[in-house]
Amino acid sequence: MTGRLASRWLFAFIFHTLTIFFLNYAPLSAAGMQTSAFDGLMSGANKNRPGDGEGGGYYVFGTLICNSLILTMTYKVIYETKSIIIGYPPACTCKKDVGEGFINRLAYTWVGVTYGSVAPYIIFVFVYQLFGRLFGPKIKIFFGYVNVADHALGKMSITWMLFLMVPIAGTLIEVAMKVFGNLFFPTQGQIHSEIASNEIARAKKLAKEATVEET
């Protein structure tokens, strides 16, 4: 790894750290953690407990930071690896010997993002809270997290807005900077990757033309 590449990754680390923190902190510090009782996710909640929709405290704020971190890193893995597999919906046609099978039609990227990253994280947040309820103050690291998941994910609508918007904002800004850097200050690896992409595209084009001529 060259110093230039290491500097890029270091800059990306600092950029995403500041972006995730301040884009969450700004709206939450401006009354964003106050309850919306009794609208939105608070509709149908116990009217004698209006504070259920409020999410102050380090545990709640830390959970929101982790939300943005998980989704941001998921996006980053997708575009850094350049391996988006969209698939062919529907994946299961329920027809034997017709077209490609289920394995070849599955949208692996989106299945992996949903069931391999985001869903397990959300489940883990609630399981972590459950441990606090089961073991009580005997295990303080879990006990402090009791009801945090309910507050952060079950009663605060702003949580889900930040969950979607903060990672997208940070990712779009970084992608824009990457495009600028690749256009005007490309690395040797990027140059070789571009040449390889052009060769692959040219080979596909020639193969398609040859198929057309044969028919």
Side-chain angles (χ1 to χ4, degrees):
M1 178 181 288
T2 63
R4 179 181 176 183
L5 185 59
S7 299
R8 281 192 173 191
W9 279 98
L10 178 61
F11 175 79
F13 160 72
I14 296 173
F15 167 77
H16 281 297
T17 300
L18 297 175
T19 300
I20 290 173
F21 179 82
F22 285 106
L23 288 185
N24 277 284
Y25 176 77
L28 293 174
S29 62
M33 284 192 174
Q34 292 185 4
T35 178
S36 59
F38 288 93
D39 298 317
L41 294 179
M42 281 290 291
S43 61
N46 188 343
K47 294 187 180 297
N48 294 321
R49 301 174 61 183
D52 279 353
E54 297 191 359
Y58 292 115
Y59 285 103
V60 173
F61 182 65
T63 300
L64 303 188
I65 293 293
C66 287
N67 291 349
S68 299
L69 176 62
I70 292 295
L71 205 54
T72 299
M73 292 300 100
T74 300
Y75 291 155
K76 190 167 180 62
V77 167
I78 289 175
Y79 68 75
E80 288 289 351
T81 56
K82 301 176 182 178
S83 58
I84 299 179
I85 302 175
I86 300 176
Y88 300 95
C92 183
T93 59
C94 298
K95 296 179 180 179
K96 188 177 181 180
D97 300 328
V98 177
E100 296 181 324
F102 171 79
I103 298 299
N104 295 322
R105 297 176 63 89
L106 191 63
Y108 285 97
T109 297
W110 311 123
V111 170
V113 167
T114 304
Y115 300 106
S117 179
V118 178
Y121 164 72
I122 294 176
I123 293 172
F124 172 78
V125 169
F126 283 96
V127 170
Y128 201 88
Q129 171 182 270
L130 181 61
F131 285 160
R133 291 176 176 173
L134 292 176
F135 299 112
K138 296 179 181 178
I139 305 180
K140 294 182 179 180
I141 190 174
F142 294 130
F143 185 66
Y145 205 76
V146 173
N147 291 333
V148 170
D150 289 339
H151 286 306
L153 301 178
K155 300 291 178 61
M156 296 172 58
S157 300
I158 194 173
T159 297
W160 297 101
M161 289 188 285
L162 294 176
F163 194 19
L164 296 174
M165 296 174 65
V166 172
I168 290 175
T171 301
L172 288 178
I173 295 173
E174 186 187 3
V175 169
M177 291 189 293
K178 277 183 171 292
V179 171
F180 178 83
N182 293 347
L183 287 174
F184 298 102
F185 308 100
T187 63
Q188 288 296 322
Q190 291 162 351
I191 293 173
H192 290 307
S193 178
E194 187 70 22
I195 293 173
S197 297
N198 290 335
E199 290 178 349
I200 292 173
R202 183 171 178 272
K204 289 182 178 179
K205 182 179 179 181
L206 293 175
K208 185 176 180 180
E209 292 176 351
T211 303
V212 172
E213 291 178 357
E214 291 178 358
T215 56

